[in-house]
Amino acid sequence: MSIFLSILALVIILISAGLLFFLALPPKRRSRWGLRPIPAFSELVRVLGLSVEEGTRLHLTLGHAGITQPTSASALVGLQALERITAISSVSDRPPLATSGEGSLTLLSQSTLRAVYRLNNALDLYDPQRGRLTGVTPLSYAAGMLPIAYDENVSAHLIVGHYGLEIGLLCEAAVRNNAFTLAASDSLSAQAVLFATTKQPLIGEELFAIPAYLQTSPAHVASLRVQDLLRWGTVIALVLSAVLGVFGWL
Amino acid sequence: MTDTLWSLIAFVLTLAILSYAIGDNPLFRIALYTFVGISAGYLAVVLIDQVIFPRLITPLVNPSTASGVMAIPLLLSLLLLTRLSPRLSFLGSLPMAFLVGVGAAVIINGALFGTLFTQVRAAGLSFTFPQSVSSGWITGMVLLFGAITTLLYFQFTGRREPGKGIVRPAWVEWIARIGQGFIAITLGAFFAGVILASLTVLIGRLDFVLQFINTLVP
Amino acid sequence: MVMRSPVATAIAIGVGLIVLLGYLLPLPVLDPIRRLFLDWSIILAAVAGLVAILNLFKAHWRKISSSRERDYYSLFFILGFILTAALGLLFGPTDERVRPLIMSIQLPVEASLVGLLTITFVVSAVRLFALRRSWMSGIFLASTIVFLLAGSGVFLTSGTSQVIKEVLAALNILPAAGARGILLGIALGSVLTGLRVLLGMDRPYSE
């Protein structure tokens, strides 16, 4: 790893952290900027409301990436979504259910659920079994979710995390049960599968927009704005890299 | 004899799983639950045998190694075990915080060095010698254009316009539309790859079923 | 707002910063600490895995013993789990007596599930327009068909003209470009997700 790249990485991290702090501060007046509408999120909010009204269950699944793996960012986003969704629907007859295919993720989903119940002064309603491991290999994890899709009166599946093609099993079960699915993954194969098999797929980095669009906290909106700024930085870097390539300086 | 018995089990399980194509059924469920149980049991053994014993227990009981340092992961592991009790489970948040902290650093490092820097450099390499003939340049330009338009498709922030809500500038919308095309082509190509991969596995399974039936029919 | 789990938050931030700086700065003090923390995280992830597996066992046990939500299929989970765990602990996971459980049960079931997905994928492609009618779905399907044909090898015969081969080679650039854009975006999102944890904005570990 070259020193130049290390310094560049440090600069990116420091600038991003500074911007994140600054943009997360409450604005003095209404901002001229906002987040563009994404239809999948409006549909999700509608389905959330319906699920609470009808007493059906929401199922959020977090993937099978270990929390110390580079691919676990998607699961961290899923946990933020779980926090928000549980806060909205914890009063429902059937509180949301979180599943995962890796041990540390399961324990984190239980922590997230417990924290929401504690903050709502309803710790006696918390059941650790609402945060479940369904299987330990990618396929056994997907297979373990099928009984949930069929037997637990689930009206909506939120699929947010790292997957492979196995996620098609849950999507197919959701279609057979006429359940709503909103899905996002960081893996390209899984995105392709989700695009073909779910009603509302989120593509690519739209995954990272979930907490902001669910209005989890101002920090998440700020995070998306910094992401947009970094995006333009990346575009400039791509062009620069091409120019350097043309002159043979790369 | 034993081999035939195991082949018979594999044969029955294969048929049980494939029967799901018709619909959810008890045979499928039995195969599913057995499979989940066996894989969970096996991983539990692997974790104990290949991680917990050699990395935690052995260094602790072996006085030649730095046992003192290993007291910390031992303590954190014991705190994690409290997650088995609903009343003590809150103690498990400390080791989980440790894991999340390490995970966050690994994520940032992986994203910057594993993807961002590598992909940006690769974008420029398409233009370098010996590829810098016309076809190489065209390839480089298409790759660059596709990557930029795709990246801009995701732009989340827009300006608040009276009566219109939040909108992005018209030129960004146009670029985003081209990016959307690239995304659709990309996901289609990956979907084709996924179908071909699963089809290969399906052919393998059907071949196994036919071979097993052939061994039964003399 | 109530500060959630200050000690846990301090641990996550402290450990995360040390590991990150250990990656970025070539300081001799940081590197061994980073390696030590990564080693510990492997142990903790294994213990977490074990705890979650025991929870899974407990959930299935509850399902066969509870009268309210009884699920007899859980009996097969319990039997499979106990048999594999007992044999594995007794003889070791790589023993000849344990291997058939994996080779003749786990692997065939996994392969069959993947095979089953072929049907799901083909049916999904057919019904995609019913699910979402958009120009993006149209391009997606067209791309799927083109790359299915290309991947199937029908154009690899000696009779295929040079023009078709060059068109196919050119077509391969398009998904590579899109994939680069998607991956770069995911990397940006990942950096910020990690940063939110290191700044204590996201605390999924707090109870």
PDB file of all heavy atoms in Angstrom, chain C residues 2-37:
ATOM      1  N   VAL C   2     -31.383  10.543  25.372  1.00  0.00           N
ATOM      2  CA  VAL C   2     -30.608   9.777  26.342  1.00  0.00           C
ATOM      3  C   VAL C   2     -29.408   9.150  25.643  1.00  0.00           C
ATOM      4  O   VAL C   2     -29.523   8.584  24.561  1.00  0.00           O
ATOM      5  CB  VAL C   2     -31.494   8.644  26.942  1.00  0.00           C
ATOM      6  CG1 VAL C   2     -30.746   7.903  28.036  1.00  0.00           C
ATOM      7  CG2 VAL C   2     -32.787   9.214  27.472  1.00  0.00           C
ATOM      8  N   MET C   3     -28.222   9.287  26.253  1.00  0.00           N
ATOM      9  CA  MET C   3     -27.018   8.677  25.672  1.00  0.00           C
ATOM     10  C   MET C   3     -27.111   7.175  25.858  1.00  0.00           C
ATOM     11  O   MET C   3     -27.212   6.685  26.989  1.00  0.00           O
ATOM     12  CB  MET C   3     -25.784   9.244  26.383  1.00  0.00           C
ATOM     13  CG  MET C   3     -24.477   8.631  25.957  1.00  0.00           C
ATOM     14  SD  MET C   3     -24.025   9.100  24.304  1.00  0.00           S
ATOM     15  CE  MET C   3     -22.430   8.307  24.154  1.00  0.00           C
ATOM     16  N   ARG C   4     -27.106   6.438  24.750  1.00  0.00           N
ATOM     17  CA  ARG C   4     -27.251   4.993  24.837  1.00  0.00           C
ATOM     18  C   ARG C   4     -25.881   4.342  24.970  1.00  0.00           C
ATOM     19  O   ARG C   4     -24.993   4.608  24.194  1.00  0.00           O
ATOM     20  CB  ARG C   4     -27.969   4.476  23.591  1.00  0.00           C
ATOM     21  CG  ARG C   4     -29.476   4.594  23.695  1.00  0.00           C
ATOM     22  CD  ARG C   4     -30.132   4.492  22.350  1.00  0.00           C
ATOM     23  NE  ARG C   4     -29.737   3.280  21.633  1.00  0.00           N
ATOM     24  CZ  ARG C   4     -30.161   2.995  20.399  1.00  0.00           C
ATOM     25  NH1 ARG C   4     -30.986   3.821  19.783  1.00  0.00           N
ATOM     26  NH2 ARG C   4     -29.771   1.918  19.795  1.00  0.00           N
ATOM     27  N   SER C   5     -25.731   3.484  25.987  1.00  0.00           N
ATOM     28  CA  SER C   5     -24.527   2.667  26.203  1.00  0.00           C
ATOM     29  C   SER C   5     -23.220   3.429  25.993  1.00  0.00           C
ATOM     30  O   SER C   5     -22.494   3.171  25.028  1.00  0.00           O
ATOM     31  CB  SER C   5     -24.549   1.458  25.267  1.00  0.00           C
ATOM     32  OG  SER C   5     -25.799   0.873  25.252  1.00  0.00           O
ATOM     33  N   PRO C   6     -22.877   4.347  26.900  1.00  0.00           N
ATOM     34  CA  PRO C   6     -21.651   5.135  26.689  1.00  0.00           C
ATOM     35  C   PRO C   6     -20.373   4.292  26.685  1.00  0.00           C
ATOM     36  O   PRO C   6     -19.458   4.562  25.908  1.00  0.00           O
ATOM     37  CB  PRO C   6     -21.652   6.137  27.850  1.00  0.00           C
ATOM     38  CG  PRO C   6     -22.646   5.634  28.828  1.00  0.00           C
ATOM     39  CD  PRO C   6     -23.617   4.792  28.097  1.00  0.00           C
ATOM     40  N   VAL C   7     -20.326   3.255  27.553  1.00  0.00           N
ATOM     41  CA  VAL C   7     -19.107   2.422  27.605  1.00  0.00           C
ATOM     42  C   VAL C   7     -18.940   1.641  26.299  1.00  0.00           C
ATOM     43  O   VAL C   7     -17.849   1.624  25.685  1.00  0.00           O
ATOM     44  CB  VAL C   7     -19.153   1.446  28.811  1.00  0.00           C
ATOM     45  CG1 VAL C   7     -17.894   0.597  28.870  1.00  0.00           C
ATOM     46  CG2 VAL C   7     -19.352   2.214  30.108  1.00  0.00           C
ATOM     47  N   ALA C   8     -20.037   1.038  25.862  1.00  0.00           N
ATOM     48  CA  ALA C   8     -19.978   0.266  24.614  1.00  0.00           C
ATOM     49  C   ALA C   8     -19.612   1.184  23.444  1.00  0.00           C
ATOM     50  O   ALA C   8     -18.812   0.807  22.575  1.00  0.00           O
ATOM     51  CB  ALA C   8     -21.321  -0.415  24.366  1.00  0.00           C
ATOM     52  N   THR C   9     -20.173   2.395  23.446  1.00  0.00           N
ATOM     53  CA  THR C   9     -19.877   3.335  22.362  1.00  0.00           C
ATOM     54  C   THR C   9     -18.388   3.689  22.365  1.00  0.00           C
ATOM     55  O   THR C   9     -17.748   3.717  21.300  1.00  0.00           O
ATOM     56  CB  THR C   9     -20.729   4.614  22.524  1.00  0.00           C
ATOM     57  OG1 THR C   9     -22.102   4.227  22.637  1.00  0.00           O
ATOM     58  CG2 THR C   9     -20.580   5.548  21.332  1.00  0.00           C
ATOM     59  N   ALA C  10     -17.841   3.922  23.550  1.00  0.00           N
ATOM     60  CA  ALA C  10     -16.418   4.253  23.658  1.00  0.00           C
ATOM     61  C   ALA C  10     -15.555   3.097  23.144  1.00  0.00           C
ATOM     62  O   ALA C  10     -14.563   3.318  22.432  1.00  0.00           O
ATOM     63  CB  ALA C  10     -16.070   4.571  25.109  1.00  0.00           C
ATOM     64  N   ILE C  11     -15.963   1.867  23.480  1.00  0.00           N
ATOM     65  CA  ILE C  11     -15.204   0.693  23.006  1.00  0.00           C
ATOM     66  C   ILE C  11     -15.236   0.627  21.475  1.00  0.00           C
ATOM     67  O   ILE C  11     -14.198   0.475  20.819  1.00  0.00           O
ATOM     68  CB  ILE C  11     -15.768  -0.610  23.624  1.00  0.00           C
ATOM     69  CG1 ILE C  11     -15.440  -0.656  25.121  1.00  0.00           C
ATOM     70  CG2 ILE C  11     -15.204  -1.850  22.918  1.00  0.00           C
ATOM     71  CD1 ILE C  11     -16.010  -1.858  25.854  1.00  0.00           C
ATOM     72  N   ALA C  12     -16.441   0.777  20.907  1.00  0.00           N
ATOM     73  CA  ALA C  12     -16.571   0.665  19.438  1.00  0.00           C
ATOM     74  C   ALA C  12     -15.733   1.728  18.737  1.00  0.00           C
ATOM     75  O   ALA C  12     -14.999   1.429  17.783  1.00  0.00           O
ATOM     76  CB  ALA C  12     -18.036   0.790  19.037  1.00  0.00           C
ATOM     77  N   ILE C  13     -15.824   2.967  19.232  1.00  0.00           N
ATOM     78  CA  ILE C  13     -15.081   4.061  18.587  1.00  0.00           C
ATOM     79  C   ILE C  13     -13.572   3.852  18.753  1.00  0.00           C
ATOM     80  O   ILE C  13     -12.808   3.936  17.791  1.00  0.00           O
ATOM     81  CB  ILE C  13     -15.522   5.430  19.161  1.00  0.00           C
ATOM     82  CG1 ILE C  13     -16.992   5.695  18.812  1.00  0.00           C
ATOM     83  CG2 ILE C  13     -14.636   6.558  18.634  1.00  0.00           C
ATOM     84  CD1 ILE C  13     -17.585   6.932  19.463  1.00  0.00           C
ATOM     85  N   GLY C  14     -13.160   3.558  19.991  1.00  0.00           N
ATOM     86  CA  GLY C  14     -11.730   3.385  20.274  1.00  0.00           C
ATOM     87  C   GLY C  14     -11.115   2.258  19.455  1.00  0.00           C
ATOM     88  O   GLY C  14     -10.108   2.449  18.751  1.00  0.00           O
ATOM     89  N   VAL C  15     -11.755   1.079  19.520  1.00  0.00           N
ATOM     90  CA  VAL C  15     -11.230  -0.090  18.799  1.00  0.00           C
ATOM     91  C   VAL C  15     -11.225   0.182  17.287  1.00  0.00           C
ATOM     92  O   VAL C  15     -10.247  -0.086  16.584  1.00  0.00           O
ATOM     93  CB  VAL C  15     -12.080  -1.346  19.139  1.00  0.00           C
ATOM     94  CG1 VAL C  15     -11.770  -2.494  18.203  1.00  0.00           C
ATOM     95  CG2 VAL C  15     -11.846  -1.767  20.573  1.00  0.00           C
ATOM     96  N   GLY C  16     -12.333   0.767  16.800  1.00  0.00           N
ATOM     97  CA  GLY C  16     -12.447   1.047  15.363  1.00  0.00           C
ATOM     98  C   GLY C  16     -11.362   1.991  14.888  1.00  0.00           C
ATOM     99  O   GLY C  16     -10.728   1.756  13.844  1.00  0.00           O
ATOM    100  N   LEU C  17     -11.114   3.046  15.662  1.00  0.00           N
ATOM    101  CA  LEU C  17     -10.092   4.028  15.252  1.00  0.00           C
ATOM    102  C   LEU C  17      -8.700   3.405  15.256  1.00  0.00           C
ATOM    103  O   LEU C  17      -7.906   3.641  14.342  1.00  0.00           O
ATOM    104  CB  LEU C  17     -10.134   5.252  16.178  1.00  0.00           C
ATOM    105  CG  LEU C  17     -11.299   6.215  15.942  1.00  0.00           C
ATOM    106  CD1 LEU C  17     -11.282   7.342  16.965  1.00  0.00           C
ATOM    107  CD2 LEU C  17     -11.276   6.785  14.528  1.00  0.00           C
ATOM    108  N   ILE C  18      -8.417   2.588  16.282  1.00  0.00           N
ATOM    109  CA  ILE C  18      -7.091   1.948  16.343  1.00  0.00           C
ATOM    110  C   ILE C  18      -6.873   1.037  15.128  1.00  0.00           C
ATOM    111  O   ILE C  18      -5.837   1.089  14.465  1.00  0.00           O
ATOM    112  CB  ILE C  18      -6.928   1.163  17.668  1.00  0.00           C
ATOM    113  CG1 ILE C  18      -6.837   2.150  18.842  1.00  0.00           C
ATOM    114  CG2 ILE C  18      -5.696   0.259  17.627  1.00  0.00           C
ATOM    115  CD1 ILE C  18      -6.896   1.503  20.212  1.00  0.00           C
ATOM    116  N   VAL C  19      -7.899   0.230  14.821  1.00  0.00           N
ATOM    117  CA  VAL C  19      -7.753  -0.693  13.683  1.00  0.00           C
ATOM    118  C   VAL C  19      -7.613   0.096  12.374  1.00  0.00           C
ATOM    119  O   VAL C  19      -6.749  -0.205  11.540  1.00  0.00           O
ATOM    120  CB  VAL C  19      -8.948  -1.682  13.616  1.00  0.00           C
ATOM    121  CG1 VAL C  19      -8.870  -2.552  12.367  1.00  0.00           C
ATOM    122  CG2 VAL C  19      -8.977  -2.563  14.851  1.00  0.00           C
ATOM    123  N   LEU C  20      -8.424   1.148  12.227  1.00  0.00           N
ATOM    124  CA  LEU C  20      -8.370   1.938  10.986  1.00  0.00           C
ATOM    125  C   LEU C  20      -7.012   2.632  10.833  1.00  0.00           C
ATOM    126  O   LEU C  20      -6.398   2.583   9.761  1.00  0.00           O
ATOM    127  CB  LEU C  20      -9.505   2.971  10.970  1.00  0.00           C
ATOM    128  CG  LEU C  20      -9.643   3.781   9.689  1.00  0.00           C
ATOM    129  CD1 LEU C  20      -9.937   2.879   8.491  1.00  0.00           C
ATOM    130  CD2 LEU C  20     -10.758   4.818   9.801  1.00  0.00           C
ATOM    131  N   LEU C  21      -6.553   3.237  11.913  1.00  0.00           N
ATOM    132  CA  LEU C  21      -5.248   3.913  11.843  1.00  0.00           C
ATOM    133  C   LEU C  21      -4.121   2.897  11.627  1.00  0.00           C
ATOM    134  O   LEU C  21      -3.138   3.178  10.951  1.00  0.00           O
ATOM    135  CB  LEU C  21      -4.997   4.739  13.112  1.00  0.00           C
ATOM    136  CG  LEU C  21      -5.894   5.975  13.253  1.00  0.00           C
ATOM    137  CD1 LEU C  21      -5.662   6.661  14.590  1.00  0.00           C
ATOM    138  CD2 LEU C  21      -5.668   6.957  12.110  1.00  0.00           C
ATOM    139  N   GLY C  22      -4.316   1.700  12.188  1.00  0.00           N
ATOM    140  CA  GLY C  22      -3.340   0.626  11.976  1.00  0.00           C
ATOM    141  C   GLY C  22      -3.231   0.253  10.502  1.00  0.00           C
ATOM    142  O   GLY C  22      -2.163  -0.097  10.005  1.00  0.00           O
ATOM    143  N   TYR C  23      -4.361   0.328   9.792  1.00  0.00           N
ATOM    144  CA  TYR C  23      -4.343   0.060   8.351  1.00  0.00           C
ATOM    145  C   TYR C  23      -3.647   1.202   7.592  1.00  0.00           C
ATOM    146  O   TYR C  23      -2.914   0.977   6.647  1.00  0.00           O
ATOM    147  CB  TYR C  23      -5.775  -0.021   7.813  1.00  0.00           C
ATOM    148  CG  TYR C  23      -6.449  -1.361   7.973  1.00  0.00           C
ATOM    149  CD1 TYR C  23      -7.677  -1.473   8.617  1.00  0.00           C
ATOM    150  CD2 TYR C  23      -5.882  -2.519   7.433  1.00  0.00           C
ATOM    151  CE1 TYR C  23      -8.324  -2.694   8.744  1.00  0.00           C
ATOM    152  CE2 TYR C  23      -6.522  -3.740   7.553  1.00  0.00           C
ATOM    153  CZ  TYR C  23      -7.740  -3.818   8.208  1.00  0.00           C
ATOM    154  OH  TYR C  23      -8.367  -5.035   8.318  1.00  0.00           O
ATOM    155  N   LEU C  24      -3.923   2.452   8.034  1.00  0.00           N
ATOM    156  CA  LEU C  24      -3.520   3.608   7.229  1.00  0.00           C
ATOM    157  C   LEU C  24      -2.112   4.120   7.529  1.00  0.00           C
ATOM    158  O   LEU C  24      -1.419   4.581   6.623  1.00  0.00           O
ATOM    159  CB  LEU C  24      -4.514   4.760   7.418  1.00  0.00           C
ATOM    160  CG  LEU C  24      -5.958   4.481   6.995  1.00  0.00           C
ATOM    161  CD1 LEU C  24      -6.834   5.695   7.262  1.00  0.00           C
ATOM    162  CD2 LEU C  24      -6.021   4.116   5.521  1.00  0.00           C
ATOM    163  N   LEU C  25      -1.728   4.084   8.810  1.00  0.00           N
ATOM    164  CA  LEU C  25      -0.440   4.672   9.171  1.00  0.00           C
ATOM    165  C   LEU C  25       0.611   3.583   9.387  1.00  0.00           C
ATOM    166  O   LEU C  25       0.360   2.627  10.127  1.00  0.00           O
ATOM    167  CB  LEU C  25      -0.571   5.518  10.448  1.00  0.00           C
ATOM    168  CG  LEU C  25      -1.605   6.642  10.391  1.00  0.00           C
ATOM    169  CD1 LEU C  25      -1.704   7.327  11.742  1.00  0.00           C
ATOM    170  CD2 LEU C  25      -1.261   7.654   9.310  1.00  0.00           C
ATOM    171  N   PRO C  26       1.777   3.728   8.772  1.00  0.00           N
ATOM    172  CA  PRO C  26       2.803   2.687   8.929  1.00  0.00           C
ATOM    173  C   PRO C  26       3.574   2.832  10.247  1.00  0.00           C
ATOM    174  O   PRO C  26       4.794   2.897  10.252  1.00  0.00           O
ATOM    175  CB  PRO C  26       3.696   2.922   7.705  1.00  0.00           C
ATOM    176  CG  PRO C  26       3.524   4.362   7.383  1.00  0.00           C
ATOM    177  CD  PRO C  26       2.193   4.806   7.877  1.00  0.00           C
ATOM    178  N   LEU C  27       2.847   2.905  11.362  1.00  0.00           N
ATOM    179  CA  LEU C  27       3.517   3.051  12.660  1.00  0.00           C
ATOM    180  C   LEU C  27       3.724   1.676  13.286  1.00  0.00           C
ATOM    181  O   LEU C  27       2.783   0.883  13.370  1.00  0.00           O
ATOM    182  CB  LEU C  27       2.670   3.919  13.599  1.00  0.00           C
ATOM    183  CG  LEU C  27       2.452   5.378  13.181  1.00  0.00           C
ATOM    184  CD1 LEU C  27       1.544   6.085  14.177  1.00  0.00           C
ATOM    185  CD2 LEU C  27       3.780   6.105  13.082  1.00  0.00           C
ATOM    186  N   PRO C  28       4.946   1.384  13.749  1.00  0.00           N
ATOM    187  CA  PRO C  28       5.216   0.053  14.311  1.00  0.00           C
ATOM    188  C   PRO C  28       4.387  -0.261  15.553  1.00  0.00           C
ATOM    189  O   PRO C  28       4.169  -1.417  15.885  1.00  0.00           O
ATOM    190  CB  PRO C  28       6.707   0.092  14.659  1.00  0.00           C
ATOM    191  CG  PRO C  28       7.231   1.409  14.228  1.00  0.00           C
ATOM    192  CD  PRO C  28       6.124   2.257  13.746  1.00  0.00           C
ATOM    193  N   VAL C  29       3.915   0.768  16.256  1.00  0.00           N
ATOM    194  CA  VAL C  29       3.115   0.536  17.477  1.00  0.00           C
ATOM    195  C   VAL C  29       1.719   0.027  17.103  1.00  0.00           C
ATOM    196  O   VAL C  29       1.165  -0.856  17.770  1.00  0.00           O
ATOM    197  CB  VAL C  29       2.949   1.870  18.261  1.00  0.00           C
ATOM    198  CG1 VAL C  29       2.325   1.631  19.615  1.00  0.00           C
ATOM    199  CG2 VAL C  29       4.260   2.609  18.364  1.00  0.00           C
ATOM    200  N   LEU C  30       1.154   0.599  16.039  1.00  0.00           N
ATOM    201  CA  LEU C  30      -0.243   0.317  15.710  1.00  0.00           C
ATOM    202  C   LEU C  30      -0.455  -1.051  15.063  1.00  0.00           C
ATOM    203  O   LEU C  30      -1.459  -1.710  15.329  1.00  0.00           O
ATOM    204  CB  LEU C  30      -0.785   1.405  14.781  1.00  0.00           C
ATOM    205  CG  LEU C  30      -1.135   2.735  15.439  1.00  0.00           C
ATOM    206  CD1 LEU C  30      -1.531   3.754  14.389  1.00  0.00           C
ATOM    207  CD2 LEU C  30      -2.268   2.556  16.452  1.00  0.00           C
ATOM    208  N   ASP C  31       0.478  -1.464  14.227  1.00  0.00           N
ATOM    209  CA  ASP C  31       0.260  -2.689  13.456  1.00  0.00           C
ATOM    210  C   ASP C  31       0.024  -3.931  14.322  1.00  0.00           C
ATOM    211  O   ASP C  31      -0.938  -4.669  14.077  1.00  0.00           O
ATOM    212  CB  ASP C  31       1.407  -2.894  12.473  1.00  0.00           C
ATOM    213  CG  ASP C  31       1.008  -3.847  11.385  1.00  0.00           C
ATOM    214  OD1 ASP C  31      -0.066  -3.622  10.772  1.00  0.00           O
ATOM    215  OD2 ASP C  31       1.718  -4.850  11.179  1.00  0.00           O
ATOM    216  N   PRO C  32       0.873  -4.189  15.351  1.00  0.00           N
ATOM    217  CA  PRO C  32       0.598  -5.383  16.170  1.00  0.00           C
ATOM    218  C   PRO C  32      -0.735  -5.300  16.915  1.00  0.00           C
ATOM    219  O   PRO C  32      -1.414  -6.321  17.083  1.00  0.00           O
ATOM    220  CB  PRO C  32       1.763  -5.433  17.161  1.00  0.00           C
ATOM    221  CG  PRO C  32       2.564  -4.212  16.976  1.00  0.00           C
ATOM    222  CD  PRO C  32       2.133  -3.538  15.736  1.00  0.00           C
ATOM    223  N   ILE C  33      -1.105  -4.085  17.337  1.00  0.00           N
ATOM    224  CA  ILE C  33      -2.399  -3.944  18.043  1.00  0.00           C
ATOM    225  C   ILE C  33      -3.542  -4.247  17.076  1.00  0.00           C
ATOM    226  O   ILE C  33      -4.505  -4.943  17.411  1.00  0.00           O
ATOM    227  CB  ILE C  33      -2.559  -2.521  18.631  1.00  0.00           C
ATOM    228  CG1 ILE C  33      -1.408  -2.219  19.590  1.00  0.00           C
ATOM    229  CG2 ILE C  33      -3.899  -2.385  19.360  1.00  0.00           C
ATOM    230  CD1 ILE C  33      -1.423  -0.823  20.165  1.00  0.00           C
ATOM    231  N   ARG C  34      -3.413  -3.742  15.828  1.00  0.00           N
ATOM    232  CA  ARG C  34      -4.451  -4.006  14.826  1.00  0.00           C
ATOM    233  C   ARG C  34      -4.603  -5.514  14.607  1.00  0.00           C
ATOM    234  O   ARG C  34      -5.723  -6.036  14.614  1.00  0.00           O
ATOM    235  CB  ARG C  34      -4.083  -3.329  13.510  1.00  0.00           C
ATOM    236  CG  ARG C  34      -5.039  -3.620  12.373  1.00  0.00           C
ATOM    237  CD  ARG C  34      -4.594  -2.951  11.089  1.00  0.00           C
ATOM    238  NE  ARG C  34      -3.343  -3.481  10.581  1.00  0.00           N
ATOM    239  CZ  ARG C  34      -3.244  -4.538   9.770  1.00  0.00           C
ATOM    240  NH1 ARG C  34      -4.336  -5.167   9.390  1.00  0.00           N
ATOM    241  NH2 ARG C  34      -2.079  -4.956   9.347  1.00  0.00           N
ATOM    242  N   ARG C  35      -3.449  -6.199  14.469  1.00  0.00           N
ATOM    243  CA  ARG C  35      -3.493  -7.649  14.244  1.00  0.00           C
ATOM    244  C   ARG C  35      -4.127  -8.378  15.433  1.00  0.00           C
ATOM    245  O   ARG C  35      -4.922  -9.302  15.258  1.00  0.00           O
ATOM    246  CB  ARG C  35      -2.080  -8.195  14.019  1.00  0.00           C
ATOM    247  CG  ARG C  35      -1.549  -7.895  12.653  1.00  0.00           C
ATOM    248  CD  ARG C  35      -0.085  -8.281  12.546  1.00  0.00           C
ATOM    249  NE  ARG C  35       0.534  -7.604  11.436  1.00  0.00           N
ATOM    250  CZ  ARG C  35       0.503  -8.051  10.188  1.00  0.00           C
ATOM    251  NH1 ARG C  35      -0.119  -9.157   9.911  1.00  0.00           N
ATOM    252  NH2 ARG C  35       1.088  -7.373   9.215  1.00  0.00           N
ATOM    253  N   LEU C  36      -3.762  -7.920  16.647  1.00  0.00           N
ATOM    254  CA  LEU C  36      -4.307  -8.535  17.861  1.00  0.00           C
ATOM    255  C   LEU C  36      -5.831  -8.362  17.909  1.00  0.00           C
ATOM    256  O   LEU C  36      -6.568  -9.320  18.170  1.00  0.00           O
ATOM    257  CB  LEU C  36      -3.663  -7.864  19.095  1.00  0.00           C
ATOM    258  CG  LEU C  36      -3.875  -8.561  20.424  1.00  0.00           C
ATOM    259  CD1 LEU C  36      -3.125  -9.883  20.451  1.00  0.00           C
ATOM    260  CD2 LEU C  36      -3.399  -7.680  21.583  1.00  0.00           C
ATOM    261  N   PHE C  37      -6.283  -7.149  17.617  1.00  0.00           N
ATOM    262  CA  PHE C  37      -7.734  -6.878  17.633  1.00  0.00           C
ATOM    263  C   PHE C  37      -8.460  -7.713  16.573  1.00  0.00           C
ATOM    264  O   PHE C  37      -9.565  -8.207  16.817  1.00  0.00           O
ATOM    265  CB  PHE C  37      -8.004  -5.385  17.408  1.00  0.00           C
ATOM    266  CG  PHE C  37      -7.786  -4.534  18.652  1.00  0.00           C
ATOM    267  CD1 PHE C  37      -7.354  -5.101  19.840  1.00  0.00           C
ATOM    268  CD2 PHE C  37      -8.034  -3.161  18.625  1.00  0.00           C
ATOM    269  CE1 PHE C  37      -7.155  -4.325  20.978  1.00  0.00           C
ATOM    270  CE2 PHE C  37      -7.850  -2.379  19.758  1.00  0.00           C
ATOM    271  CZ  PHE C  37      -7.397  -2.965  20.936  1.00  0.00           C
TER     272      PHE C  37
END
